[in-house]
Amino acid sequence: MSEIKSYLRSLERSRDSMRAEHRRGEFSLRGREWDLLDTVFAPVHAGTTEIVLDLLGLSDSGRRPWRGSFLEVGCGTGVVAVTAALAGCERVLACDINAEAVTNTVLNARRHGVADRVLAVHSDLFEALPAGQRFDTIVWSSPYVRAPEDYRFVTPLERAYVDPGYEAHRRYVDEAPRRLTDDGRALLHFSSRGDADGLHRIAEEAGRQLRVLARHVVVDRGDAVEHFLVEIRSGESRPERYGSAVHRAGLVAGPPGR
């Protein structure tokens, strides 16, 4: 395994993010202040939350307002879910397997005045959601670094950094398209640090197509790392590979990912 794809490197980052200097209770991101609880993924430490905002177009205040329903899987501090509500989404659901992340999202929804439109739920992916619930947009910023199948999590935070055997990716790729409205989109934030071939095998086995909508490149410890916004679609036709992006961002230097 190359160093850039090493799950040990990601676990080291999860431990580093727990240091006191990264756990001050609050952080600033994109002109807003946010609450941060002790065991929740720290957006400023990792940098991927800002990348997701950019990939989704939620950083551009000049764009047309968002509409409809929005689900953020693995919400962490709730930055993406709250920003979607601020951008105009009428119904936002945020879920996370980490119960403290759910509390953190509630705090930030209240802080930014959208508690009436943002509901946070403790859930392992879609497990705790009503079976018939559908969304116009579903997005998951996945723990794209693959860990061995037999790896056992030591802390709740590690779940935000690695996915043993891609078990969670398999479930998301299979179920997310079935949770959509007729014109909805199931989206996945992925990275070149992940196992792209493994993700494509999962999609093919589930009868899904993968289409890259946008790319963003950062320099991570001297390595160029691509981040992708991938749409997951139902269908049996041949899936598009990552070279077919409709948009490509420039190379930028930024904070490390997971």
Side-chain angles (χ1 to χ4, degrees), residues 97-120:
I97 195 171
N98 181 353
E100 193 163 58
V102 176
T103 301
N104 206 151
T105 297
V106 170
L107 290 173
N108 281 320
R110 291 174 180 167
R111 182 170 193 150
H112 294 288
V114 292
D116 60 327
R117 282 179 284 148
V118 177
L119 174 66

Side-chain angles (χ1 to χ4, degrees), residues 133-149:
Q133 200 165 25
R134 300 289 183 267
F135 300 90
D136 297 308
T137 302
I138 300 174
V139 63
W140 181 36
S141 180
S142 77
Y144 41 73
V145 175
R146 187 170 192 157
E149 290 183 10

Side-chain angles (χ1 to χ4, degrees), residues 14 32 36 51 56 66 89 94 109 131 164-165 173 181-183 204 222 234 239:
S14 76
R32 296 187 175 102
L36 174 65
I51 292 172
L56 290 171
W66 282 57
C89 288
V173 168
T181 59
D182 289 343
D183 296 320
E204 289 164 4
S234 299

Side-chain angles (χ1 to χ4, degrees), residues 1 7-8 11 146-154 158 162-167:
M1 179 186 296
Y7 79 98
L8 296 176
L11 293 176
R146 187 170 192 157
E149 290 183 10
D150 59 355
Y151 182 75
R152 297 294 176 262
F153 294 111
V154 177
E158 289 183 353
V162 300
D163 181 14
Y166 269 16
E167 186 270 339

